[in-house]
């Protein structure tokens, strides 16, 4: 509930008392009460000023407020960047991007960042003062009088963290079919039934004024992930489904995750080819859940990438290259450097598994070495024994 603004009429005018003039006690009481009310009004005004969206006029304009950096990335489209917690040890360390899209009749927010209301002990994220109020202040100021709906790409703590801010509101919370909803209870102690489940491909959010948001199933990183396509603006919001990353790229930890990813990335590419005109595909902008990753290009060697690039989003070629990498792993051509594929070892994954990164231009995947060979129908080459 927004803080009620209380202002005293005529606030700021000078109240003076002439020397040697006798003031009735009743008038004196009224003056003293007025001064107290004025002081309270001044305090209220400083509280309710809060987030000021008026500076977000041109594309690229940004404002820092509370825990967030807010960017204007389109006409009534905003990126609310949660830069993360430097003391975090998991996903909260690199921060998360939340996206807010406003149509003529409705607004849709995609993802909810980290939990700064209660914190998240597993990731060593601590609660922050006024986290709930500041977040709602940003959202309410950006959407104006439009009703809001929220859709989460997947049920991981750095994408569903601020769910609690909306528990006492009438805002519909949505998530795609297939996600592990019990995680909401184990992570934050929140009843999973507050989320409404939709089937990807069948759910479209109509925001009014010709703006629609289509949904696509995208597994691999999670079991029921969703990517969202905003039309006619041609913006694709992918959460963690596809992302280039500086050294990690998209990490798939099992053959099942890889096979699901491969099926869904090809389904997405084919859908966009079949249903969009070439020009619409060419102007596609891909916004991931961690846009800082877009600053780094995919290296083709195991040398650390020290050349950050000025890029805030990916594009159609990036989506196709991610599919090309997956398909090459599937058919075994990823071992052929003459076709543009490169692979090298990266730091070990879960249970100290040996991992390799496979790169094709703007696309890259990381898999356990045994999984990469197995899904290609091959065995891991034996390492020659030293004499």
């Amino acid at each position: 509930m927004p803080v009620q603004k209380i202002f005293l009429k005529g606030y700021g005018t000078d109240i003076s008392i002439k020397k040697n003039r006798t003031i009735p006690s009743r008038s004196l009481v009224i003056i003293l009460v007025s001064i107290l009310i004025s002081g309270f009004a001044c305090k209220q005004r400083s509280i309710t000023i809060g987030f000021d969206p008026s500076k977000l006029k041109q594309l690229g304009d940004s404002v820092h407020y509370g825990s967030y950096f807010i960017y204007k990335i389109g006409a009534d489209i905003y990126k609310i960047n949660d830069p993360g917690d430097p003391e975090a040890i998991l996903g909260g360390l690199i921060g998360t991007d939340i996206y807010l899209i406003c149509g003529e009749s409705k607004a849709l927010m995609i993802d909810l960042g980290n939990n700064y209301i209660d914190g998240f002990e597993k990731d060593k994220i601590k609660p922050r003062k006024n986290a709930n109020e500041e977040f709602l202040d940003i959202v309410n100021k950006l959407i104006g009088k439009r009703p809001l709906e929220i859709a989460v790409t997947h049920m991981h703590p750095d994408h569903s963290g601020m769910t609690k801010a909306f528990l006492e509101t009438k805002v519909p919370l949505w998530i795609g079919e297939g996600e592990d909803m019990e995680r909401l209870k184990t992570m934050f102690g929140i009843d999973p039934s507050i989320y409404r489940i939709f089937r990807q491909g069948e759910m479209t959010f109509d925001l009014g004024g010709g703006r629609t948001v289509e949904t696509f199933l995208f597994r691999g990183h999670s079991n029921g992930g969703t990517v969202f396509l905003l039309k006619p603006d041609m913006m694709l919001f992918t959460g963690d489904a596809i992302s280039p990353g500086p050294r990690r790229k998209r990490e798939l930890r099992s053959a099942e995750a890889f096979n699901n990813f491969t099926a869904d990335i090809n389904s997405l590419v084919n859908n966009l080819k079949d249903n969009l005109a070439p020009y619409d595909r060419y102007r596609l902008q891909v916004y991931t859940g961690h846009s800082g990753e877009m600053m780094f290009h995919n290296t083709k060697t195991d040398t650390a990438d020290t050349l950050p690039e000025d890029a805030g989003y990916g594009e159609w070629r990036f989506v196709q290259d991610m599919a090309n990498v997956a398909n090459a792993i599937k058919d075994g051509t990823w071992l052929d450097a003459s076709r543009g594929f490169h692979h090298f070892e990266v730091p070990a994954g879960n249970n100290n598994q040996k991992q390799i990164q496979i790169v094709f231009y703007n696309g890259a995947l990381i898999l356990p070495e045994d999984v990469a060979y197995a899904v290609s129908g091959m065995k891991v080459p034996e390492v020659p024994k030293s004499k």
Side-chain angles (χ1 to χ4, degrees):
M1 180 179 296
V3 179
Q4 183 180 3
K5 299 181 180 180
I6 301 176
F7 295 98
L8 179 66
K9 186 176 180 180
Y11 171 75
T13 56
D14 179 37
I15 300 177
S16 59
I17 302 174
K18 292 183 179 180
K19 190 176 181 180
N20 298 326
R21 180 176 176 180
T22 303
I23 302 176
S25 58
R26 182 179 178 183
S27 299
L28 183 59
V29 169
I30 293 174
I31 291 173
L32 291 174
V33 170
S34 297
I35 292 172
L36 290 173
I37 293 176
S38 298
F40 177 73
C42 183
K43 183 179 179 181
Q44 286 294 94
R45 187 169 66 168
S46 65
I47 292 174
T48 57
I49 284 176
F51 170 63
D52 179 10
S54 66
K55 296 180 181 179
L56 300 172
K57 297 178 181 179
Q58 305 295 327
L59 294 184
D61 285 350
S62 64
V63 176
H64 179 211
Y65 177 70
S67 297
Y68 304 94
F69 292 87
I70 302 90
Y71 299 85
K72 185 181 180 72
I73 61 173
D76 291 324
I77 306 172
Y78 305 93
K79 178 176 73 175
I80 304 172
N81 171 249
D82 161 13
D85 189 325
E87 296 183 5
I89 56 175
L90 301 172
L93 178 63
I94 61 174
T96 306
D97 290 304
I98 303 162
Y99 297 97
L100 184 59
I101 309 161
C102 299
E104 285 188 2
S105 59
K106 188 187 298 184
L108 176 68
M109 185 156 62
I110 298 175
D111 280 341
L112 287 168
N114 289 292
N115 183 355
Y116 296 124
I117 299 174
D118 299 319
F120 185 46
E121 185 176 353
K122 186 177 180 180
D123 200 5
K124 298 189 181 301
I125 294 176
K126 298 176 182 178
R128 297 183 181 179
K129 187 177 180 181
N130 300 323
N132 187 89
E133 293 79 8
E134 288 177 352
F135 187 62
L136 290 179
D137 191 23
I138 293 170
V139 175
N140 288 331
K141 296 281 181 59
L142 291 176
I143 66 174
K145 296 182 179 180
R146 301 177 185 90
L148 174 68
E149 296 193 30
I150 295 171
V152 173
T153 57
H154 61 295
M155 193 52 70
H156 285 182
D158 53 334
H159 293 263
S160 59
M162 293 299 286
T163 296
K164 188 174 181 179
F166 298 92
L167 294 186
E168 297 182 5
T169 71
K170 296 181 180 180
V171 174
L173 297 164
W174 294 95
I175 193 164
E177 187 177 63
E179 281 299 283
D180 180 5
M181 297 305 297
E182 287 303 308
R183 294 194 65 173
L184 192 64
K185 183 182 293 184
T186 57
M187 293 185 304
F188 306 132
I190 296 175
D191 184 351
S193 66
I194 65 163
Y195 273 86
R196 307 178 187 186
I197 310 296
F198 65 83
R199 177 167 292 180
Q200 297 92 335
E202 297 180 4
M203 179 67 165
T204 296
F205 296 89
D206 187 348
L207 307 184
R211 261 188 182 156
T212 60
V213 180
E214 297 180 359
T215 60
F216 297 85
L217 174 65
F218 213 120
R219 300 160 296 169
H221 181 70
S222 67
N223 293 327
T226 306
V227 299
F228 300 86
L229 176 63
L230 171 63
K231 293 181 176 179
D233 304 85
M234 297 312 301
M235 292 180 171
L236 189 70
F237 302 95
T238 65
D240 289 348
I242 55 174
S243 54
R247 296 302 299 160
R248 278 297 184 183
K249 321 306 186 236
R250 176 46 47 228
E251 184 177 350
L252 303 172
R253 296 171 180 168
S254 67
E256 180 183 12
F258 169 79
N259 289 328
N260 286 336
F261 177 93
T262 302
D264 293 343
I265 185 71
N266 281 290
S267 177
L268 176 65
V269 168
N270 291 334
N271 186 290
L272 298 182
K273 284 183 177 180
D274 293 342
N275 295 291
L276 296 177
Y279 175 76
D280 286 330
R281 296 196 300 271
Y282 302 159
R283 65 188 181 92
L284 186 72
Q285 297 178 7
V286 183
Y287 288 90
T288 71
H290 306 279
S291 62
E293 297 169 328
M294 303 307 301
M295 294 174 59
F296 295 86
H297 61 281
N298 290 325
T299 53
K300 297 181 179 180
T301 71
D302 57 1
T303 302
D305 185 355
T306 57
L307 299 173
E309 297 179 331
D310 185 16
Y313 55 84
E315 35 79 72
W316 173 230
R317 184 177 299 172
F318 162 55
V319 178
Q320 294 178 90
D321 285 349
M322 292 296 290
N324 289 332
V325 171
N327 293 333
I329 296 172
K330 191 79 172 178
D331 64 24
T333 55
W334 61 278
L335 293 167
D336 187 354
S338 69
R339 302 183 65 174
F341 296 98
H342 302 265
H343 68 279
F344 46 87
E345 186 175 349
V346 294
N350 289 353
N351 302 317
N352 206 33
Q353 283 180 301
K354 182 179 180 180
Q355 295 196 124
I356 56 174
Q357 178 170 294
I358 302 163
V359 179
F360 181 77
Y361 294 99
N362 290 319
L365 289 171
I366 286 179
L367 287 84
E369 183 184 49
D370 59 340
V371 170
Y373 278 94
V375 297
S376 302
M378 298 181 287
K379 293 183 179 180
V380 178
E382 293 185 3
V383 178
K385 296 180 179 179
S386 57
K387 295 181 180 180

